[in-house]
Amino acid sequence: MKMLIAVDFSPIGREVAHSGYCLAQKSGMDVTFFHCAPQASRFLEGYDIKAFLSPTSKTEQQKIKEMAIQSLHKVMEDVIAEHGKTPGTDVDEYVTVGDAGEEIIKYAKENDFDLIVIGYKSYSKLEHILVGSTASKVARYAPCSVLIYRPGKNISSLNMYLDSKR
């Protein structure tokens, strides 16, 4: 079984990474830490995008993706350092660029995930106002079950449930 953990580098996103990984360890699932970097031209939809996309902007977008790859790798390393690596469990990471909700759903479909773990709110209120709730979109359209993480709500009851099924 496979779990996708959506990470957005916010404090909540880091909690999602830790909690999702612990859940994956208890349930014996393989894990992919996933991040979607924002696409700079996304806010210009409806306009002639070609007029705004220069070689410089493409280079900047690549730099953003490279920074996201480094940041996601650091989160993954921190999570594994704190919780250890379970033998026989595959841990992977994936970074893409675009609309986070759409990219999570697409990647989950293409790679046959069984569970997506995602935070209940995004990093910024502005993003929520402009593009809507990623968690809502994923919960509605994901091809698999979705666990929406809320800070301060521990998942020990879910862990106890999983332990009882073993």
Side-chain angles (χ1 to χ4, degrees):
M1 294 187 69
K2 295 176 11 178
M3 176 189 296
L4 182 151
I5 301 173
V7 180
D8 70 358
F9 309 140
S10 69
I12 291 169
R14 292 178 192 284
E15 287 183 41
V16 169
H18 285 272
S19 294
Y21 185 74
C22 289
L23 180 60
Q25 284 182 305
K26 287 198 173 275
S27 59
M29 297 177 92
D30 292 334
V31 174
T32 298
F33 290 91
F34 179 99
H35 177 74
C36 183
Q39 186 171 0
S41 63
R42 185 177 187 303
F43 297 109
L44 301 172
E45 287 178 359
Y47 295 93
D48 182 8
I49 301 298
K50 292 176 190 161
F52 297 101
L53 293 179
S54 67
T56 304
S57 64
K58 290 177 186 174
T59 302
E60 293 302 317
Q61 189 66 55
Q62 185 58 36
K63 285 181 186 176
I64 291 169
K65 185 174 181 180
E66 289 169 9
M67 288 177 7
I69 290 168
Q70 291 173 358
S71 296
L72 183 62
H73 189 73
K74 175 76 170 107
V75 169
M76 184 181 77
E77 285 179 334
D78 292 347
V79 168
I80 292 171
E82 184 172 329
H83 304 287
K85 177 120 171 34
T86 305
T89 299
D90 289 334
V91 179
D92 199 7
E93 58 192 303
Y94 182 79
V95 173
T96 190
V97 175
D99 174 84
E102 291 172 12
E103 294 299 325
I104 291 167
I105 293 163
K106 179 177 143 187
Y107 191 74
K109 281 181 184 175
E110 290 172 352
N111 293 280
D112 199 29
F113 281 90
D114 301 291
L115 178 65
I116 297 170
V117 179
I118 189 168
Y120 82 108
K121 69 178 188 175
S122 68
Y123 188 71
S124 94
K125 293 192 184 291
L126 177 63
E127 180 185 358
H128 180 77
I129 291 166
L130 292 175
V131 297
S133 171
T134 299
S136 293
K137 184 184 287 187
V138 171
R140 276 192 204 104
Y141 302 110
C144 59
S145 295
V146 177
L147 177 81
I148 298 176
Y149 174 85
R150 289 192 171 275
K153 307 287 185 187
N154 84 31
I155 57 173
S156 61
S157 58
L158 184 55
N159 285 332
M160 288 189 306
Y161 171 78
L162 290 170
D163 288 340
S164 73
K165 296 297 179 186
R166 287 186 180 186

